[in-house]
CSV table of all heavy atoms in Angstrom, one decimal:
chain,number,residue,atom,x,y,z
A,1,THR,N,94.8,72.4,100.6
A,1,THR,CA,93.3,72.2,100.4
A,1,THR,C,92.6,73.4,101.0
A,1,THR,O,91.6,74.0,100.4
A,1,THR,CB,92.8,70.9,101.0
A,1,THR,OG1,93.5,69.8,100.4
A,1,THR,CG2,91.3,70.8,100.8
A,2,LEU,N,93.0,73.8,102.2
A,2,LEU,CA,92.3,75.0,102.8
A,2,LEU,C,92.5,76.2,102.0
A,2,LEU,O,91.6,77.0,101.8
A,2,LEU,CB,92.8,75.1,104.2
A,2,LEU,CG,92.4,74.1,105.2
A,2,LEU,CD1,93.2,74.2,106.5
A,2,LEU,CD2,90.9,74.2,105.6
A,3,ALA,N,93.7,76.5,101.5
A,3,ALA,CA,94.0,77.7,100.7
A,3,ALA,C,93.2,77.7,99.5
A,3,ALA,O,92.6,78.7,99.1
A,3,ALA,CB,95.5,77.7,100.4
A,4,ARG,N,93.1,76.5,98.8
A,4,ARG,CA,92.3,76.5,97.6
A,4,ARG,C,90.8,76.7,97.9
A,4,ARG,O,90.1,77.4,97.2
A,4,ARG,CB,92.5,75.1,96.9
A,4,ARG,CG,91.6,75.0,95.7
A,4,ARG,CD,92.0,74.0,94.7
A,4,ARG,NE,91.0,73.9,93.6
A,4,ARG,CZ,90.9,74.8,92.6
A,4,ARG,NH1,91.8,75.8,92.5
A,4,ARG,NH2,90.0,74.7,91.6
A,5,ASP,N,90.3,76.2,99.0
A,5,ASP,CA,88.9,76.4,99.4
A,5,ASP,C,88.6,77.9,99.6
A,5,ASP,O,87.6,78.3,99.2
A,5,ASP,CB,88.6,75.6,100.7
A,5,ASP,CG,88.5,74.1,100.4
A,5,ASP,OD1,88.5,73.7,99.2
A,5,ASP,OD2,88.5,73.3,101.4
A,6,VAL,N,89.6,78.6,100.2
A,6,VAL,CA,89.4,80.0,100.4
A,6,VAL,C,89.3,80.7,99.1
A,6,VAL,O,88.4,81.6,98.8
A,6,VAL,CB,90.5,80.6,101.3
A,6,VAL,CG1,90.5,82.1,101.2
A,6,VAL,CG2,90.4,80.1,102.7
A,7,LEU,N,90.3,80.4,98.2
A,7,LEU,CA,90.3,81.1,96.8
A,7,LEU,C,89.0,80.7,96.0
A,7,LEU,O,88.5,81.6,95.4
A,7,LEU,CB,91.5,80.7,96.1
A,7,LEU,CG,92.9,81.1,96.7
A,7,LEU,CD1,94.0,80.6,95.9
A,7,LEU,CD2,92.9,82.6,96.9
A,8,VAL,N,88.6,79.5,96.1
A,8,VAL,CA,87.4,79.1,95.3
A,8,VAL,C,86.2,79.8,95.9
A,8,VAL,O,85.3,80.3,95.2
A,8,VAL,CB,87.2,77.6,95.4
A,8,VAL,CG1,85.8,77.2,94.9
A,8,VAL,CG2,88.3,76.9,94.5
A,9,ASP,N,86.1,79.9,97.2
A,9,ASP,CA,85.0,80.6,97.9
A,9,ASP,C,84.9,82.1,97.5
A,9,ASP,O,83.8,82.6,97.2
A,9,ASP,CB,85.0,80.4,99.4
A,9,ASP,CG,83.8,81.0,100.1
A,9,ASP,OD1,82.7,80.6,99.8
A,9,ASP,OD2,84.0,82.0,100.9
A,10,VAL,N,86.1,82.7,97.5
A,10,VAL,CA,86.1,84.1,97.1
A,10,VAL,C,85.8,84.3,95.7
A,10,VAL,O,85.0,85.2,95.3
A,10,VAL,CB,87.5,84.7,97.4
A,10,VAL,CG1,87.6,86.1,96.9
A,10,VAL,CG2,87.8,84.7,98.9
A,11,ALA,N,86.3,83.4,94.8
A,11,ALA,CA,85.9,83.5,93.4
A,11,ALA,C,84.4,83.3,93.1
A,11,ALA,O,83.8,83.9,92.3
A,11,ALA,CB,86.7,82.5,92.6
A,12,THR,N,83.8,82.4,93.9
A,12,THR,CA,82.4,82.0,93.7
A,12,THR,C,81.5,83.0,94.4
A,12,THR,O,80.5,83.5,93.8
A,12,THR,CB,82.2,80.6,94.2
A,12,THR,OG1,83.1,79.7,93.5
A,12,THR,CG2,80.7,80.2,93.9
A,13,ASN,N,81.8,83.3,95.7
A,13,ASN,CA,80.8,84.0,96.5
A,13,ASN,C,81.3,85.5,96.8
A,13,ASN,O,80.5,86.3,97.3
A,13,ASN,CB,80.6,83.3,97.8
A,13,ASN,CG,80.0,81.9,97.6
A,13,ASN,OD1,79.1,81.7,96.8
A,13,ASN,ND2,80.6,80.9,98.3
A,14,GLY,N,82.5,85.7,96.5
A,14,GLY,CA,83.0,87.1,96.7
A,14,GLY,C,83.3,87.4,98.1
A,14,GLY,O,83.2,86.6,99.0
A,15,VAL,N,83.7,88.6,98.4
A,15,VAL,CA,83.9,89.1,99.7
A,15,VAL,C,82.7,89.9,100.1
A,15,VAL,O,81.9,90.4,99.3
A,15,VAL,CB,85.2,90.0,99.8
A,15,VAL,CG1,86.5,89.2,99.4
A,15,VAL,CG2,85.1,91.3,99.0
A,16,THR,N,82.5,90.1,101.4
A,16,THR,CA,81.4,90.8,101.9
A,16,THR,C,81.6,92.3,101.9
A,16,THR,O,82.8,92.8,101.8
A,16,THR,CB,81.0,90.3,103.3
A,16,THR,OG1,82.1,90.7,104.2
A,16,THR,CG2,80.8,88.8,103.4
A,17,ASP,N,80.5,93.0,102.1
A,17,ASP,CA,80.7,94.5,102.2
A,17,ASP,C,81.6,94.9,103.4
A,17,ASP,O,82.4,95.8,103.3
A,17,ASP,CB,79.3,95.2,102.4
A,17,ASP,CG,78.5,95.1,101.1
A,17,ASP,OD1,79.1,95.0,100.0
A,17,ASP,OD2,77.3,95.1,101.2
A,18,ALA,N,81.4,94.1,104.5
A,18,ALA,CA,82.2,94.4,105.7
A,18,ALA,C,83.7,94.1,105.5
A,18,ALA,O,84.5,94.9,105.9
A,18,ALA,CB,81.7,93.6,106.9
A,19,GLU,N,84.0,93.0,104.8
A,19,GLU,CA,85.4,92.7,104.5
A,19,GLU,C,86.0,93.8,103.5
A,19,GLU,O,87.1,94.2,103.7
A,19,GLU,CB,85.5,91.3,103.8
A,19,GLU,CG,85.3,90.2,104.8
A,19,GLU,CD,85.3,88.9,104.0
A,19,GLU,OE1,84.7,88.7,103.0
A,19,GLU,OE2,86.0,87.9,104.6
A,20,CYS,N,85.2,94.2,102.6
A,20,CYS,CA,85.7,95.2,101.6
A,20,CYS,C,86.0,96.5,102.4
A,20,CYS,O,87.0,97.2,102.2
A,20,CYS,CB,84.6,95.5,100.6
A,20,CYS,SG,85.1,96.6,99.3
A,21,ALA,N,85.1,96.9,103.3
A,21,ALA,CA,85.3,98.2,104.0
A,21,ALA,C,86.5,98.1,104.9
A,21,ALA,O,87.3,99.0,105.0
A,21,ALA,CB,84.0,98.5,104.9
A,22,ARG,N,86.7,96.9,105.6
A,22,ARG,CA,87.9,96.8,106.5
A,22,ARG,C,89.1,96.8,105.6
A,22,ARG,O,90.2,97.3,106.1
A,22,ARG,CB,87.7,95.5,107.3
A,22,ARG,CG,86.8,95.5,108.4
A,22,ARG,CD,87.0,94.4,109.4
A,22,ARG,NE,86.8,93.1,108.8
A,22,ARG,CZ,87.7,92.1,108.7
A,22,ARG,NH1,88.9,92.3,109.3
A,22,ARG,NH2,87.4,91.0,108.2
A,23,ALA,N,89.1,96.1,104.5
A,23,ALA,CA,90.3,96.1,103.6
A,23,ALA,C,90.6,97.5,103.1
A,23,ALA,O,91.8,97.9,103.1
A,23,ALA,CB,90.0,95.2,102.4
A,24,LYS,N,89.7,98.3,102.8
A,24,LYS,CA,89.9,99.7,102.3
A,24,LYS,C,90.5,100.5,103.5
A,24,LYS,O,91.4,101.3,103.3
A,24,LYS,CB,88.7,100.3,101.8
A,24,LYS,CG,88.2,99.7,100.5
A,24,LYS,CD,87.1,100.5,99.8
A,24,LYS,CE,85.9,100.6,100.5
A,24,LYS,NZ,84.8,101.4,99.8
A,25,GLY,N,90.0,100.3,104.7
A,25,GLY,CA,90.5,101.0,105.8
A,25,GLY,C,91.9,100.6,106.1
A,25,GLY,O,92.8,101.5,106.4
A,26,SER,N,92.2,99.3,105.9
A,26,SER,CA,93.6,98.9,106.2
A,26,SER,C,94.6,99.5,105.1
A,26,SER,O,95.7,99.9,105.5
A,26,SER,CB,93.6,97.3,106.1
A,26,SER,OG,95.0,96.9,106.2
A,27,LEU,N,94.1,99.5,103.9
A,27,LEU,CA,95.0,100.1,102.8
A,27,LEU,C,95.2,101.6,103.1
A,27,LEU,O,96.3,102.1,102.9
A,27,LEU,CB,94.3,99.9,101.5
A,27,LEU,CG,94.4,98.5,100.9
A,27,LEU,CD1,93.6,98.4,99.6
A,27,LEU,CD2,95.9,98.2,100.5
A,28,ARG,N,94.2,102.3,103.4
A,28,ARG,CA,94.3,103.7,103.6
A,28,ARG,C,95.2,104.0,104.8
A,28,ARG,O,96.1,104.9,104.8
A,28,ARG,CB,92.9,104.3,103.9
A,28,ARG,CG,92.0,104.4,102.6
A,28,ARG,CD,90.6,104.7,103.0
A,28,ARG,NE,90.4,105.8,103.9
A,28,ARG,CZ,90.3,107.1,103.5
A,28,ARG,NH1,90.3,107.3,102.2
A,28,ARG,NH2,90.1,108.0,104.3
A,29,GLY,N,95.0,103.3,105.9
A,29,GLY,CA,95.9,103.5,107.1
A,29,GLY,C,97.3,103.1,106.8
A,29,GLY,O,98.2,103.8,107.2
A,30,GLY,N,97.5,102.0,106.1
A,30,GLY,CA,98.9,101.6,105.7
A,30,GLY,C,99.6,102.6,104.9
A,30,GLY,O,100.8,102.9,105.0
A,31,LEU,N,98.9,103.2,103.9
A,31,LEU,CA,99.4,104.2,103.0
A,31,LEU,C,99.9,105.4,103.8
A,31,LEU,O,101.0,105.9,103.7
A,31,LEU,CB,98.4,104.6,102.0
A,31,LEU,CG,98.8,105.8,101.1
A,31,LEU,CD1,100.1,105.5,100.3
A,31,LEU,CD2,97.7,106.2,100.2
A,32,VAL,N,99.1,105.9,104.7
A,32,VAL,CA,99.4,107.1,105.5
A,32,VAL,C,100.6,106.8,106.4
A,32,VAL,O,101.5,107.6,106.5
A,32,VAL,CB,98.2,107.6,106.3
A,32,VAL,CG1,98.6,108.7,107.2
A,32,VAL,CG2,97.1,108.1,105.3
A,33,LEU,N,100.5,105.7,107.1
A,33,LEU,CA,101.6,105.4,108.1
A,33,LEU,C,102.9,105.1,107.3
A,33,LEU,O,104.0,105.4,107.8
A,33,LEU,CB,101.2,104.1,108.9
A,33,LEU,CG,100.1,104.3,109.9
A,33,LEU,CD1,99.8,103.0,110.6
A,33,LEU,CD2,100.5,105.3,111.0
A,34,GLY,N,102.8,104.6,106.1
A,34,GLY,CA,104.0,104.3,105.4
A,34,GLY,C,104.7,105.5,104.8
A,34,GLY,O,105.8,105.4,104.3
A,35,LEU,N,104.1,106.6,104.8
A,35,LEU,CA,104.7,107.8,104.2
A,35,LEU,C,105.1,108.8,105.3
A,35,LEU,O,105.2,110.0,105.1
A,35,LEU,CB,103.7,108.5,103.3
A,35,LEU,CG,103.3,107.7,102.0
A,35,LEU,CD1,102.3,108.5,101.2
A,35,LEU,CD2,104.6,107.5,101.2
A,36,GLU,N,105.3,108.3,106.5
A,36,GLU,CA,105.7,109.2,107.6
A,36,GLU,C,107.2,109.5,107.6
A,36,GLU,O,107.6,110.5,108.3
A,36,GLU,CB,105.4,108.5,109.0
A,36,GLU,CG,103.9,108.4,109.3
A,36,GLU,CD,103.7,108.0,110.7
A,36,GLU,OE1,104.5,107.2,111.2
A,36,GLU,OE2,102.6,108.3,111.2
A,37,ASP,N,108.0,108.9,106.7
A,37,ASP,CA,109.4,109.2,106.6
A,37,ASP,C,109.7,109.6,105.2
A,37,ASP,O,109.1,109.3,104.3
A,37,ASP,CB,110.3,108.1,107.1
A,37,ASP,CG,110.1,106.8,106.2
A,37,ASP,OD1,109.2,106.0,106.5
A,37,ASP,OD2,110.9,106.7,105.2
A,38,SER,N,110.8,110.4,105.1
A,38,SER,CA,111.1,111.0,103.8
A,38,SER,C,111.5,109.9,102.7
A,38,SER,O,111.3,110.0,101.5
A,38,SER,CB,112.3,112.0,103.9
A,38,SER,OG,111.9,113.1,104.7
A,39,ALA,N,112.2,108.8,103.2
A,39,ALA,CA,112.6,107.8,102.3
A,39,ALA,C,111.4,107.1,101.6
A,39,ALA,O,111.4,106.8,100.4
A,39,ALA,CB,113.4,106.7,103.0
A,40,SER,N,110.3,106.9,102.3
A,40,SER,CA,109.1,106.3,101.7
A,40,SER,C,108.5,107.3,100.7
A,40,SER,O,108.0,106.8,99.6
A,40,SER,CB,108.1,106.0,102.8
A,40,SER,OG,108.6,105.1,103.7
A,41,ARG,N,108.5,108.6,101.0
A,41,ARG,CA,107.9,109.5,100.0
A,41,ARG,C,108.8,109.6,98.8
A,41,ARG,O,108.3,109.7,97.7
A,41,ARG,CB,107.8,110.9,100.7
A,41,ARG,CG,106.7,110.9,101.7
A,41,ARG,CD,106.5,112.3,102.4
A,41,ARG,NE,105.4,112.3,103.3
A,41,ARG,CZ,104.1,112.6,103.0
A,41,ARG,NH1,103.9,113.0,101.8
A,41,ARG,NH2,103.2,112.6,103.9
A,42,MET,N,110.1,109.5,99.0
A,42,MET,CA,111.0,109.5,97.9
A,42,MET,C,110.8,108.3,97.0
A,42,MET,O,110.7,108.5,95.8
A,42,MET,CB,112.5,109.5,98.4
A,42,MET,CG,113.5,109.4,97.3
A,42,MET,SD,115.2,109.0,98.0
A,42,MET,CE,114.9,107.3,98.6
A,43,ASN,N,110.7,107.2,97.6
A,43,ASN,CA,110.4,106.0,96.8
A,43,ASN,C,109.1,106.0,96.1
A,43,ASN,O,108.9,105.6,94.9
A,43,ASN,CB,110.4,104.7,97.7
A,43,ASN,CG,111.8,104.3,98.0
A,43,ASN,OD1,112.7,104.2,97.1
A,43,ASN,ND2,112.1,104.0,99.3
């Protein structure tokens, strides 16, 4: 029930600007950190 409530809320009301900014920062940081070794770049 809680999981569905979260999904319904996001579908109805969306995410906030702050959440979007934090998510983008997390993706950018994860990408850079994930490419620190040659195997990741190869993949």
Side-chain angles (χ1 to χ4, degrees):
T1 300
L2 289 169
R4 175 161 178 78
D5 288 348
V6 168
L7 296 178
V8 169
D9 182 61
V10 172
T12 304
N13 302 312
V15 300
T16 66
D17 290 334
E19 286 177 316
C20 185
R22 285 196 299 123
K24 291 194 295 184
S26 177
L27 283 172
R28 286 164 53 88
L31 173 64
V32 173
L33 290 174
L35 294 177
E36 287 188 336
D37 62 274
S38 296
S40 297
R41 291 181 176 268
M42 174 192 69
N43 282 312

